[in-house]
Amino acid sequence: MTYRTKKKLTQLALHLVLILACLVVILPLLWIFRTSLAYRVIAYRIPPEWFFTPTLDNYRIIFKEEPFHLYFLNSMVVASLSTLICLAIGAPAAFSYSRFRTGGDSLRVSMLATQMLPAITLVIPFFLIYRMIGLYNTRIGLVITYITFNIPFIVWILIGFFEGIPRELDESAMVDGCTRFSAFTKIILPISLPGMLSAGIFSFVLSWNEFLFALILTGKRSKTLPVAVSGLITQQGTQIGAVSAAIVLIIMPMILLYFGLRTFLIQGMIAGAVKE
């Protein structure tokens, strides 16, 4: 067997493995989308029926029988607001650490330590505190909760991006008359935009998908989509078509967000990999 033949066989094997891995990820999503368009009888049928007339009844169910438009709005407001606040606080904090080592190595380790605590150990204290101060079953209470968990994550990511930006840019801006803060806002932030968007997307996804705290700290008025989907699983059975339609509703913003910002996301993931 020649070297060229071995190389082609190796490439073919690698492509087959990659295709198989992609199918493992994509096929369940396609099956969920298919089930969301199927009648209840067809959705439960075994063996499955591959060809049928699509219907939007499952989407009508989640918007008529349940106020999923309100749950969608709750998730969007909570995820967007918590992400924006995390970036507004985390970016200056990460810049301060990257330039002045504010807090030293102990601060950086403590940021990691906050991510090591099991969420279940904190949900009861949050619940009791929110009941006392009136933040239970409110969007703002959920926003504050997500901020406390996402800020260390945002700061940790952005430190790497800011450390990759040469200090000479700060010094040149200050020589030209900028203050330290104006140099940060006018020079550093525009350069680090891919990293900011990358960190923001990750923070948004974490808040969008979070279930445990949303389950305990919200009621009917502030319920988010993951909690609303779990409500479709009852003692009478699982409304598989409605659940699939709700899942499609949850993942569509993530897909649109990825395709809309994928260029910035890839740039941001690469930008912090190399330091000057």
Side-chain angles (χ1 to χ4, degrees):
M1 185 180 295
T2 63
Y3 173 77
R4 182 174 295 180
T5 304
K6 289 182 179 180
K7 186 176 181 180
K8 288 183 177 180
L9 290 175
T10 302
Q11 290 179 344
L12 178 62
L14 290 175
H15 280 83
L16 289 175
V17 171
L18 291 174
I19 291 172
L20 180 61
C22 290
L23 290 176
V24 169
V25 175
I26 294 174
L27 286 180
L29 299 178
L30 295 177
W31 186 260
I32 290 172
F33 180 70
R34 173 259 181 198
T35 306
S36 72
L37 298 175
Y39 291 98
R40 182 175 299 182
V41 175
I42 297 175
Y44 283 100
R45 186 168 294 170
I46 297 176
E49 186 174 332
W50 299 103
F51 300 101
F52 56 87
T53 303
T55 179
L56 296 177
D57 286 349
N58 295 314
Y59 292 92
R60 294 190 187 99
I61 289 174
I62 65 174
F63 284 107
K64 282 189 175 182
E65 297 184 5
E66 294 284 343
F68 263 75
H69 58 283
L70 175 61
Y71 304 150
F72 183 89
L73 179 63
N74 289 338
S75 291
M76 187 62 68
V77 169
V78 169
S80 301
L81 190 58
S82 62
T83 298
L84 291 175
I85 295 175
C86 283
L87 288 175
I89 298 174
F95 179 75
S96 175
Y97 184 88
S98 67
R99 292 299 188 263
F100 311 111
R101 288 296 184 271
T102 306
D105 293 336
S106 59
L107 176 64
R108 199 164 188 174
V109 174
S110 65
M111 286 188 293
L112 277 181
T114 61
Q115 306 300 310
M116 298 177 186
L117 288 173
I120 193 65
T121 63
L122 299 174
V123 68
I124 300 302
F126 268 97
F127 173 78
L128 295 176
I129 292 172
Y130 282 5
R131 286 294 297 268
M132 286 190 295
I133 64 178
L135 288 179
Y136 175 72
N137 193 18
T138 62
R139 293 175 183 170
I140 190 63
L142 207 55
V143 168
I144 294 172
T145 303
Y146 291 162
I147 289 173
T148 59
F149 291 113
N150 289 346
I151 279 184
F153 175 76
I154 292 282
V155 172
W156 180 268
I157 291 178
L158 291 180
I159 285 174
F161 295 116
F162 289 133
E163 286 180 342
I165 299 175
R167 294 173 180 265
E168 288 77 8
L169 289 176
D170 307 18
E171 297 169 357
S172 298
M174 295 176 69
V175 168
D176 291 337
C178 289
T179 62
R180 176 70 70 177
F181 182 75
S182 60
F184 169 68
T185 56
K186 296 179 180 179
I187 306 298
I188 304 302
L189 279 184
I191 295 175
S192 61
L193 182 60
M196 295 279 290
L197 286 175
S198 178
I201 289 172
F202 285 123
S203 175
F204 184 90
V205 171
L206 288 175
S207 300
W208 183 267
N209 292 332
E210 202 280 325
F211 175 77
L212 178 61
F213 283 88
L215 176 66
I216 302 299
L217 301 179
T218 62
K220 193 168 185 179
R221 291 186 295 107
S222 57
K223 189 185 298 184
T224 58
L225 283 174
V227 180
V229 172
S230 68
L232 296 174
I233 303 173
T234 63
Q235 294 180 348
Q236 286 74 31
T238 301
Q239 304 180 54
I240 189 65
V243 170
S244 298
I247 292 174
V248 171
L249 183 67
I250 291 176
I251 64 178
M252 281 305 298
M254 300 297 100
I255 294 175
L256 296 175
L257 187 66
Y258 169 75
F259 282 105
L261 300 174
R262 64 183 184 276
T263 302
F264 293 102
L265 179 62
I266 294 172
Q267 290 178 358
M269 293 175 68
I270 298 174
V274 180
K275 296 181 182 180
E276 296 290 339

